[in-house]
Amino acid sequence: MVVISEESSSSSTSTHDHTYDVFLSFRGFDTRHNFTDHLYKTLIETNLKTFLDDEEIETGEDLKPELETAIKASRASVIVLSKNYASSTWCLDELVLILKQHRTSNHIVVPIFYHVEPTDLRKQQSNFGEAMARHKQRMETETNAERRNIWVKKMELWNKALTEVADLKGKSAKGRKETELIEEIVTEIRRRSGVPLKLTLPLLIGMDYDIEFVSSWLRDGSSHAADILTIWGMGGIGKTSLAKYVFRLHGHEFQRSTFIADISSRCAEKSEGLLEMQKQLSGDISRTSSIKVHDESVCTSQIENVLALKKVFLVLDDVDSLKQLDALLGNKGFHPGTKVIITTKDASLTERCELFNPIVQPKHTKHLLEGLDEFGSLNLLSFHAFKCKGPEEGYEELSETLVKYCEGHPLALEVLGRSLRNRDVVEWEDRIERLKEEPDSRIKNVLQMSFDSLPSTDDKELFKHIACFFVGEDRESTEAILKACRIRTVLGIKNLIDRCLLWIGGDNKLMMHQLLQEMGRDVVRQESLEKPWKRSRLWCHEDSFKVLKQKKGTGKIKGLALDMRMLEKDKLFDLKTDALSKMDNLLLLQLNYVQLNGSYKNFPEGLRWLCMHGFPLEYMPPDLQLENLVVLDMSYSRLESFDMSYDTLQRLGKRQKSSGSCSKDKRLLRSLKVLNLSSCERLRSLGGFSEFPALERLLLSYCISLIEVCESIEQCDGLELIDLSYCNKVGKVLRTIGKLKKVKILKLDGCNLGEFPVDMWDDVELPEMLNGNNIGINSQTSSIIVEAIPRALWTFVINLPSSLVCLSLKDNNLTNKSFPKDLSSLSILKELNLDGNCIISLPNCVRSLPRLEKLSIQKCRSLKTLEHPPRTLKELIFGFGDDNKEGKVVFDREMSPIMLTTDRPLRFCIEGMLKVEDMEDVKEEVLRSLGWTNLDFPKIQPTKTGSKVQMTYEFGIFSTVYRGQEIPNWISDRREGSSISFTIPSSPNNLTGFNFCYVFMATKGYICVWDEIKINNITKKRTWIYNFPVYFEATGEDVILLSHWMFGKNEIEDGDQLTISILDNNVFGISKIRECGISLVYDDDDGKNKMEEEDVLGYYKSWNHIIGGDLSPFQTTTPGEYYLHRWHFFGINSIVNYVGMLLCVKLVLMVSTNFGVPTRSNPMDIFIGILCLELSPKTSECSWWGGAPKQYIYKGNIKSKVTKRSIFAGES
């Protein structure tokens, strides 16, 4: 019986010349029920139509006719050369015929040396020698002369065939997993035969975006020597799965491709591992027999030669060293069009390899895998736990708990899901409780590979310190602490980030995946499982409390954290200070809300970080020795005064009847760099700054009683940051702060500076005419005095250091009247935050700031205009009030490219760039001048339910989109489809422009059409390409886009031949252009009407960057061609590649579809946010996404997908 694959696909490239894609030649006795059966199933599953002879017993001496026919009708043959292959005359006849087809008709041959060696065939030894000897014996015993002659000829052909097939490049099964070998065989057959992969790929749940990103990158042609994509991420995040999926999906599109798997583990397991992979790579891309060399440098040279001559698709999986990259890629560059994917846990490797030299410099893209969102995580967990898309009834909350625990980590979701399959609720609950105590070993082992690969012990110590104590803490403060602990943090933190063991979140916080943090802590836990006092770090509050209560601390402990609020019991238990006395090497100490009794003189003197939130005393203990302390955090404490000067401590010591332990010449906080007293609501005064001259950061936010800062603060020469946010009584404090010479950052958020309470004027040095010597001032009359003071004198109160680089005045109720009139002293200020104030327009003093680069002016509900910000501005973050329809932004024409971010939908005007307004607000005479007659816009349906039809003006083009089926009747010249050609007729009137309209069908659902209208004046050799993005929720109805183009005689005149076409770039959803039309617009013969039209459209014509104006910034490399896209206003000279731009919109739509979008941040708003972006030409950083890790978009390419948790947070 003959069995063939019945499955085929319309996508198959099989022609009438090839009935089958693959013919399988094998010895049934050896492999029918194992290897060959598995190979056959895989072949048909991947859309390869395969012939397999299922006859168990050979009948007759000659090959069956159907076998001969099948070989000739196949495009390829796989020959499974097993031990008993040569014992079958049929197999030998098949071999002869297959090789004949190979020589005469480009028949593809893939020999598989199944536990045999090529030399066995070539020299006819071992089983092959024995089989051929039996055939020879049979020939010699044949008495029939005719049959004997046939045997002689066959023996000759068989001998030649065995030698020939032994010399072909084949694949050996020796020492290999059969599944990997079969996958490799199928990949090669599919690639060489050109048969596409059947769309039954392995399921990658929640990775649609990543698949699309990599696929788009593969399809993107490039003129560079090569394109390299580095897929990086933490262990188990899905890098290899993604690379394998894309390789199987697109490998057949390349003439040569190879996937080198598990590079790091293969190098670690075998000393010859790298050499073997070099041979595999060279053999796969050159299609020659295995390289017979034993020197890695020689192999590298041979690989370089092949890569320089052939366009290939290469995947290097799990690279962990430069040596591997250098050996497998060399340094001579690739053939144009080559694509290389590298998966790694270390993002820095690729660009440090020898290939990236000044001569080669391939185009390099990085793609960070950050894990799955909640929707994808729940699906993946459910797939493995329940074999369905969602959790079963009764398991919903438990599933959500596990999803939260895994934080999108695919391997963790798979491992835990599989382990809980068919388990009841009680077992699920027990498993979750156990995870709180100890991580799953399978997950931990994968994650720990990145930790083990860290290049130094120093980096490992750094990782453990952060995992135990500093996740979520400020990066700069943490670096200062750990530097003082003799940890090299600058390079160390970079190494951790490169290996995805750490990332920097919003507000410069150190962030770490929860599973990585657990792994790091478990590494410390393994130091002593049963005796926590023998570990180097104690972060578990129960363990820390036990050690302190029992006074078991030892010199081994480097760090200890205890928060009494986290204990289930013993919350009110008092601890003794001498519990710390034996911890001689303690560097890091956190004692939050701990009641300590006893003398502080035995406190560890080597502390670098001391955090004591909720400290119960009213003052600092006089006997506390903190000479080496770098960061002191006393937030939320009951302190009323903070003064560590000698006199103060002596006075406190006498009050305590203690001699104290400080000397007059000894500075108790001489190393202190960060002092955090935030939310100390009783704190009234701060002094003794001479005791900590190294201070760099002073944090006093929410110290609502603070009224005095000692002038000794001037002795802190290195003080750079002061945070006084939400301190209500900063009047006198600001007088002192204003005298500082080197402060760079000052935060005064929420200090009510716009209201100027009376107590802010206490002791203010008023001009002589208002001095108390001349006017009697008391608490009752001071408010009257304040009202009498001219506004120009308010700068006496708001006295700011001239050294400021960054100033934040958020939420201060500042109005244009109460705003300081003079900021000229801030000559080096670069960043200014005015969010949440009551200003109507940009204050004049802000315009005069000579070096301002970043201005934020969001959530100002009264803001109406933003006119002429400083020309030095590089980034503007703004938003008009909800009820403001006339919001206008005006820039000077000399402005450099600027980054714009808005938190509101487009319904404002960026003067000279972009104007968007509701159609109902457009003057009727403007519509009449455009020729938009007989259109009742108030009744026309918008594309989005609940919204309004809007008109957009840019580049001299007016555009609108609305629902409708018919092009307006006054557009007479129409064509079916997406293009129209015509000649401008002669007319006595002046041509002022034309209206172009098209109607398209849109399927139901969210749709984004990034259409481009291309107008080609063939006569004048001018081309304008206008990109107008359209995004809406389609109802299935047709949609109309109507645009008016203003032209002058220099652009278009009588007799010009024009072609207009729509370039369809729809991103999400399906649209089809049904019809388009054109209508010319002329001025009126009546001079009065002509003047009226000029007045009506004069404002629009006055803009600089319009057709007929200056379009030089938008000119492409093609002479006479202009690409009109609003992103060009914001710092991009050309957008060549749309991949990232389109994916960015697609991602937003996917997010809104999968997770639902809050009504305050609907998909349209997010999309508009994208359109308002400017991409910084220097850093290529897109700031509006917010969240962490930072996301990047550059030159139209998305560098990494956005973090879902930050999109809808209302952030810039």
Side-chain angles (χ1 to χ4, degrees):
M1 179 179 66
V2 174
V3 179
I4 63 172
S5 165
E6 299 259 339
E7 267 187 85
S8 62
S9 169
S10 59
S11 63
S12 174
T13 57
S14 297
T15 66
H16 63 278
D17 295 325
H18 297 101
T19 307
Y20 310 110
D21 294 310
V22 179
F23 178 90
L24 280 179
S25 177
F26 64 98
R27 185 71 170 100
F29 178 79
D30 290 338
T31 65
R32 180 184 303 281
H33 300 297
N34 42 64
F35 179 79
T36 299
D37 182 56
H38 299 154
L39 174 60
Y40 172 73
K41 288 182 179 178
T42 306
L43 287 166
I44 64 172
E45 285 174 359
T46 51
N47 200 29
L48 290 164
K49 193 173 182 182
T50 305
F51 182 99
L52 179 141
D53 181 13
D54 200 36
E55 193 70 53
E56 291 282 354
I57 302 173
E58 298 179 9
T59 57
E61 295 179 355
D62 295 329
L63 192 64
K64 290 189 300 184
E66 55 262 44
L67 293 178
E68 185 174 346
T69 301
I71 292 171
K72 292 180 178 180
S74 299
R75 68 175 71 239
S77 290
V78 176
I79 309 169
V80 184
L81 297 160
S82 57
K83 291 181 180 180
N84 294 298
Y85 185 89
S87 65
S88 166
T89 58
W90 279 13
C91 286
L92 293 171
D93 285 342
E94 287 175 3
L95 179 62
V96 170
L97 185 55
I98 288 168
L99 294 174
K100 181 181 178 182
Q101 291 295 108
H102 175 65
R103 292 190 298 271
T104 59
S105 59
N106 294 322
H107 187 83
I108 299 167
V109 177
V110 181
I112 310 299
F113 299 101
Y114 191 77
H115 301 297
V116 299
E117 297 295 335
T119 54
D120 294 341
L121 283 71
R122 192 179 297 110
K123 297 181 180 181
Q124 293 187 14
Q125 61 189 22
S126 188
N127 294 69
F128 284 85
E130 294 171 4
M132 295 306 291
R134 288 194 294 271
H135 295 320
K136 183 177 180 181
Q137 183 180 5
R138 185 176 176 184
M139 175 191 70
E140 292 173 346
T141 58
E142 179 59 61
T143 56
N144 185 295
E146 184 178 350
R147 289 185 178 180
R148 182 184 176 90
N149 189 43
I150 293 174
W151 268 101
V152 170
K153 291 180 180 179
K154 281 193 173 187
M155 285 293 296
E156 184 180 351
L157 291 172
W158 293 344
N159 287 326
K160 288 182 179 179
L162 289 172
T163 302
E164 184 178 348
V165 76
D167 291 334
L168 290 179
K169 176 180 175 286
K171 298 186 180 295
S172 174
K174 188 175 181 180
R176 298 193 62 186
K177 294 179 181 179
E178 290 192 356
T179 53
E180 292 182 358
L181 176 61
I182 288 172
E183 184 175 345
E184 195 175 294
I185 294 167
V186 172
T187 299
E188 179 169 344
I189 290 291
R190 185 165 47 81
R191 184 192 73 237
R192 293 172 63 181
S193 62
V195 178
L197 181 65
K198 186 181 176 183
L199 299 178
T200 53
L201 291 162
L203 191 62
L204 282 187
I205 296 174
M207 299 187 73
D208 294 344
Y209 165 82
D210 304 291
I211 294 169
E212 179 63 26
F213 179 90
V214 181
S215 297
S216 298
W217 172 83
L218 278 170
R219 290 191 294 264
D220 176 32
S222 174
S223 59
H224 291 264
D227 277 11
I228 297 180
L229 173 67
T230 298
I231 302 175
W232 62 293
M234 60 190 288
I237 205 69
K239 304 180 294 296
T240 298
S241 298
L242 174 63
K244 280 186 177 180
Y245 186 99
V246 174
F247 183 79
R248 291 187 63 185
L249 187 64
H250 297 288
H252 69 277
E253 299 170 8
F254 294 80
Q255 293 180 346
R256 310 282 172 92
S257 61
T258 186
F259 190 108
I260 311 297
D262 302 319
I263 292 174
S264 63
S265 59
R266 289 167 69 180
C267 286
E269 291 170 1
K270 298 174 65 175
S271 59
E272 298 287 316
L274 186 56
L275 183 62
E276 289 182 0
M277 288 182 284
Q278 286 182 309
K279 293 179 179 180
Q280 178 189 342
L281 171 58
S282 181
D284 287 348
I285 61 178
S286 64
R287 298 182 188 171
T288 59
S289 58
S290 182
I291 303 176
K292 296 179 178 60
V293 294
H294 303 283
D295 185 283
E296 289 179 5
S297 61
V298 175
C299 283
T300 299
S301 179
Q302 293 182 349
I303 291 171
E304 287 175 334
N305 293 335
V306 177
L307 291 177
L309 298 174
K310 301 182 184 297
K311 175 182 174 181
V312 302
F313 175 29
L314 171 62
V315 179
L316 303 181
D317 173 54
D318 196 20
V319 174
D320 69 353
S321 74
L322 289 173
K323 180 181 179 181
Q324 295 161 4
L325 282 180
D326 294 338
L328 295 171
L329 297 180
N331 63 4
K332 295 183 179 178
F334 304 150
H335 190 278
T338 287
K339 296 282 186 175
V340 179
I341 293 178
I342 298 168
T343 71
T344 181
K345 302 180 190 73
D346 187 348
S348 69
L349 283 178
T350 304
E351 293 185 1
R352 290 193 289 125
C353 74
E354 291 184 1
L355 183 66
F356 282 78
N357 56 65
I359 299 176
V360 180
Q361 282 295 326
K363 182 180 178 183
H364 183 218
T365 303
K366 291 182 181 180
H367 182 62
L368 172 64
L369 283 190
E370 299 178 87
L372 309 181
D373 52 51
E374 290 185 16
F375 182 79
S377 297
L378 189 60
N379 274 350
L380 183 59
L381 178 71
S382 300
F383 175 79
H384 290 293
F386 309 111
K387 287 297 181 181
C388 57
K389 289 187 176 180
E392 292 180 357
E393 186 177 354
Y395 290 84
E396 294 88 351
E397 289 187 11
L398 294 169
S399 297
E400 289 178 5
T401 300
L402 279 181
V403 165
K404 186 178 293 186
Y405 169 79
C406 294
E407 288 189 358
H409 194 272
L411 177 65
L413 291 162
E414 179 182 345
V415 168
L416 295 178
R418 286 178 179 271
S419 69
L420 291 169
R421 186 183 301 168
N422 299 326
R423 304 286 185 177
D424 59 30
V425 170
V426 175
E427 291 175 288
W428 274 64
E429 292 173 343
D430 181 68
R431 187 78 172 93
I432 291 173
E433 287 301 314
R434 289 172 57 191
L435 287 173
K436 294 178 181 178
E437 300 175 3
E438 185 178 2
D440 184 281
S441 60
R442 290 164 293 181
I443 301 170
K444 180 200 164 190
N445 291 340
V446 171
L447 297 176
Q448 194 166 335
M449 292 171 63
S450 295
F451 172 79
D452 293 338
S453 71
L454 287 170
S456 69
T457 302
D458 207 54
D459 288 347
K460 293 177 181 178
E461 288 294 299
L462 173 63
F463 175 78
K464 288 187 285 187
H465 275 313
I466 295 174
C468 291
F469 303 115
F470 296 113
V471 173
E473 297 299 322
D474 178 74
R475 176 179 181 173
E476 290 185 14
S477 297
T478 303
E479 284 186 348
I481 294 167
L482 297 180
K483 280 181 182 177
C485 296
R486 298 183 178 179
I487 299 287
R488 289 183 288 274
T489 57
V490 176
L491 184 58
I493 286 180
K494 185 179 186 306
N495 287 337
L496 297 185
I497 292 174
D498 286 343
R499 286 166 173 78
C500 297
L501 293 171
L502 187 72
W503 44 278
I504 307 303
D507 296 329
N508 206 31
K509 304 292 187 185
L510 296 176
M511 305 302 294
M512 185 180 292
H513 195 285
Q514 178 175 311
L515 296 178
L516 286 170
Q517 184 179 21
E518 287 192 359
M519 178 271 292
R521 289 179 168 182
D522 191 67
V523 170
V524 177
R525 186 187 291 112
Q526 297 302 318
E527 295 172 358
S528 178
L529 293 174
E530 302 299 330
K531 298 178 180 180
W533 55 89
K534 291 189 175 182
R535 300 174 194 158
S536 59
R537 299 161 182 85
L538 295 176
W539 66 92
C540 175
H541 304 289
E542 287 78 7
D543 289 342
S544 298
F545 179 76
K546 180 180 178 180
V547 169
L548 292 176
K549 181 181 178 182
Q550 299 177 3
K551 299 182 180 181
K552 288 190 175 182
T554 66
K556 186 173 178 60
I557 300 175
K558 297 179 181 179
L560 182 146
L562 170 60
D563 190 329
M564 295 296 285
R565 298 172 304 171
M566 304 303 292
L567 299 179
E568 294 184 2
K569 55 183 180 179
D570 296 321
K571 290 186 178 183
L572 301 178
F573 191 93
D574 292 354
L575 295 172
K576 303 293 183 180
T577 55
D578 60 1
L580 299 164
S581 60
K582 295 181 181 179
M583 301 184 192
D584 299 330
N585 295 310
L586 191 64
L587 301 172
L588 313 170
L589 179 61
Q590 181 186 63
L591 295 174
N592 288 348
Y593 301 94
V594 175
Q595 182 71 44
L596 284 175
N597 294 325
S599 172
Y600 284 82
K601 64 181 180 180
N602 293 323
F603 238 61
E605 296 184 3
L607 286 178
R608 268 61 170 181
W609 173 56
L610 176 60
C611 178
M612 300 181 74
H613 289 183
F615 186 66
L617 303 182
E618 297 175 357
Y619 48 82
M620 294 296 291
D623 51 355
L624 187 60
Q625 300 296 307
L626 301 172
E627 292 182 47
N628 297 301
L629 198 68
V630 173
V631 173
L632 176 60
D633 186 352
M634 306 295 289
S635 303
Y636 303 98
S637 72
R638 300 170 66 89
L639 290 171
E640 294 183 2
S641 173
F642 186 93
D643 190 339
M644 299 292 285
S645 64
Y646 174 79
D647 293 339
T648 301
L649 293 180
Q650 283 293 100
R651 186 171 62 254
L652 292 174
K654 290 178 181 179
R655 187 185 306 174
Q656 280 189 322
K657 298 181 180 181
S658 167
S659 62
S661 58
C662 61
S663 65
K664 192 170 185 178
D665 299 327
K666 192 174 184 180
R667 290 183 170 178
L668 298 183
L669 292 169
R670 63 184 182 185
S671 302
L672 190 69
K673 293 186 176 182
V674 179
L675 176 59
N676 189 351
L677 299 173
S678 300
S679 299
C680 293
E681 297 183 353
R682 299 186 180 192
L683 185 69
R684 293 179 56 83
S685 64
L686 188 62
F689 287 95
S690 59
E691 300 300 321
F692 32 97
L695 191 67
E696 296 177 357
R697 308 177 78 187
L698 179 60
L699 309 176
L700 301 169
S701 61
Y702 293 96
C703 292
I704 57 178
S705 301
L706 183 67
I707 58 173
E708 181 180 2
V709 174
C710 177
E711 292 186 356
S712 63
I713 194 173
E714 296 180 40
Q715 298 181 37
C716 300
D717 291 333
L719 186 58
E720 294 187 348
L721 182 150
I722 300 177
D723 187 355
L724 290 166
S725 299
Y726 304 97
C727 295
N728 298 328
K729 304 174 182 180
V730 295
K732 188 175 180 180
V733 175
L734 282 179
R735 282 188 53 219
T736 305
I737 299 299
K739 298 177 182 179
L740 299 179
K741 305 298 183 182
K742 296 184 179 180
V743 173
K744 295 181 180 179
I745 302 172
L746 178 60
K747 296 184 179 182
L748 297 173
D749 303 345
C751 291
N752 294 322
L753 298 179
E755 297 181 3
F756 289 94
V758 172
D759 58 5
M760 291 181 61
W761 292 84
D762 293 344
D763 299 323
V764 170
E765 296 177 3
L766 300 177
E768 185 176 350
M769 68 179 209
L770 294 177
N771 195 281
N773 294 329
N774 299 318
I775 301 177
I777 299 178
N778 54 43
S779 59
Q780 295 179 345
T781 60
S782 58
S783 61
I784 300 174
I785 299 297
V786 169
E787 291 296 329
I789 296 175
R791 299 283 182 180
L793 298 179
W794 280 15
T795 52
F796 281 99
V797 180
I798 306 179
N799 192 13
L800 302 174
S802 60
S803 56
L804 286 183
V805 174
C806 178
L807 172 64
S808 182
L809 298 173
K810 288 175 57 177
D811 303 324
N812 269 293
N813 293 319
L814 288 169
T815 64
N816 284 74
K817 290 184 179 181
S818 64
F819 203 89
K821 302 302 178 185
D822 183 12
L823 294 179
S824 59
S825 63
L826 305 182
S827 59
I828 62 173
L829 191 70
K830 291 185 177 181
E831 296 187 15
L832 177 61
N833 191 324
L834 300 177
D835 294 353
N837 285 294
C838 303
I839 54 180
I840 298 173
S841 61
L842 190 65
N844 288 327
C845 60
V846 175
R847 296 191 182 100
S848 63
L849 292 171
R851 298 188 184 181
L852 193 66
E853 295 181 357
K854 181 177 180 179
L855 173 63
S856 183
I857 191 166
Q858 295 183 102
K859 301 175 184 177
C860 296
R861 55 186 179 276
S862 303
L863 187 65
K864 293 183 179 179
T865 63
L866 270 175
E867 299 188 23
H868 305 291
R871 297 177 183 178
T872 55
L873 209 61
K874 296 180 180 178
E875 181 176 358
L876 175 62
I877 305 168
F878 69 100
F880 296 108
D882 291 329
D883 57 347
N884 185 1
K885 295 183 179 180
E886 301 285 330
K888 183 168 69 171
V889 182
V890 181
F891 294 109
D892 289 344
R893 292 194 176 193
E894 295 81 5
M895 281 285 291
S896 301
I898 183 173
M899 180 188 297
L900 289 180
T901 307
T902 180
D903 60 352
R904 298 294 180 190
L906 280 177
R907 196 171 63 234
F908 53 82
C909 172
I910 303 177
E911 189 81 29
M913 297 183 186
L914 175 69
K915 182 178 177 67
V916 180
E917 54 188 324
D918 292 341
M919 192 64 76
E920 62 184 28
D921 297 327
V922 180
K923 294 179 180 179
E924 185 177 344
E925 52 266 31
V926 172
L927 298 177
R928 189 166 58 248
S929 297
L930 301 180
W932 290 4
T933 58
N934 300 325
L935 285 176
D936 192 355
F937 283 107
K939 294 183 179 180
I940 287 177
Q941 293 295 314
T943 56
K944 179 187 172 189
T945 305
S947 64
K948 297 180 180 180
V949 177
Q950 293 185 321
M951 183 179 78
T952 300
Y953 175 72
E954 53 186 339
F955 305 111
I957 305 167
F958 301 82
S959 304
T960 186
V961 183
Y962 58 91
R963 296 182 195 174
Q965 296 181 339
E966 297 294 334
I967 289 178
N969 54 18
W970 38 265
I971 294 182
S972 55
D973 194 356
R974 309 182 185 189
R975 300 286 190 279
E976 289 186 2
S978 59
S979 64
I980 184 170
S981 298
F982 58 96
T983 301
I984 303 293
S986 298
S987 172
N989 299 327
N990 292 323
L991 179 68
T992 60
F994 59 71
N995 287 311
F996 178 69
C997 182
Y998 66 90
V999 57
F1000 60 91
M1001 296 183 296
T1003 56
K1004 262 190 173 184
Y1006 287 112
I1007 185 169
C1008 174
V1009 180
W1010 217 293
D1011 282 352
E1012 295 172 346
I1013 301 174
K1014 181 177 181 180
I1015 298 180
N1016 183 13
N1017 187 333
I1018 300 172
T1019 305
K1020 287 188 166 55
K1021 297 181 180 179
R1022 296 269 188 93
T1023 301
W1024 300 270
I1025 303 172
Y1026 174 47
N1027 187 299
F1028 182 68
V1030 182
Y1031 169 67
F1032 55 92
E1033 184 178 0
T1035 61
E1037 302 177 61
D1038 288 353
V1039 177
I1040 291 174
L1041 189 147
L1042 172 64
S1043 60
H1044 177 91
W1045 297 59
M1046 292 194 303
F1047 282 107
K1049 288 185 177 180
N1050 292 332
E1051 292 79 37
I1052 294 177
E1053 59 184 340
D1054 296 354
D1056 286 355
Q1057 185 179 354
L1058 272 70
T1059 297
I1060 305 178
S1061 56
I1062 303 113
L1063 308 178
D1064 186 7
N1065 289 320
N1066 75 81
V1067 181
F1068 198 75
I1070 301 172
S1071 65
K1072 181 181 179 181
I1073 298 170
R1074 290 179 47 196
E1075 186 181 23
C1076 62
I1078 184 75
S1079 173
L1080 304 180
V1081 179
Y1082 294 90
D1083 62 12
D1084 203 312
D1085 288 335
D1086 191 338
K1088 179 181 178 181
N1089 288 342
K1090 181 176 180 180
M1091 288 180 61
E1092 179 183 346
E1093 177 188 333
E1094 288 180 353
D1095 291 337
V1096 169
L1097 298 182
Y1099 163 74
Y1100 299 99
K1101 293 178 180 178
S1102 68
W1103 286 21
N1104 189 31
H1105 299 298
I1106 64 173
I1107 297 174
D1110 179 17
L1111 288 182
S1112 57
F1114 308 92
Q1115 185 163 0
T1116 69
T1117 54
T1118 303
E1121 182 179 85
Y1122 302 91
Y1123 184 75
L1124 310 179
H1125 194 297
R1126 65 187 62 160
W1127 283 25
H1128 289 289
F1129 281 123
F1130 310 135
I1132 299 179
N1133 295 321
S1134 63
I1135 298 180
V1136 180
N1137 181 352
Y1138 300 96
V1139 173
M1141 194 192 319
L1142 305 185
L1143 284 175
C1144 184
V1145 180
K1146 180 177 258 187
L1147 173 63
V1148 172
L1149 298 171
M1150 288 168 59
V1151 171
S1152 64
T1153 301
N1154 289 337
F1155 301 99
V1157 183
T1159 54
R1160 65 185 178 89
S1161 299
N1162 56 53
M1164 185 63 181
D1165 295 344
I1166 300 169
F1167 175 69
I1168 286 168
I1170 295 171
L1171 301 184
C1172 290
L1173 288 178
E1174 186 272 343
L1175 309 183
S1176 169
K1178 291 185 179 179
T1179 62
S1180 303
E1181 182 175 318
C1182 172
S1183 67
W1184 83 289
W1185 295 113
K1190 281 281 188 181
Q1191 310 303 325
Y1192 302 89
I1193 300 178
Y1194 58 99
K1195 295 288 185 183
N1197 281 331
I1198 292 184
K1199 189 171 184 181
S1200 176
K1201 69 181 179 182
V1202 304
T1203 304
K1204 316 284 192 306
R1205 59 178 174 269
S1206 67
I1207 287 183
F1208 306 123
E1211 302 172 6
S1212 297

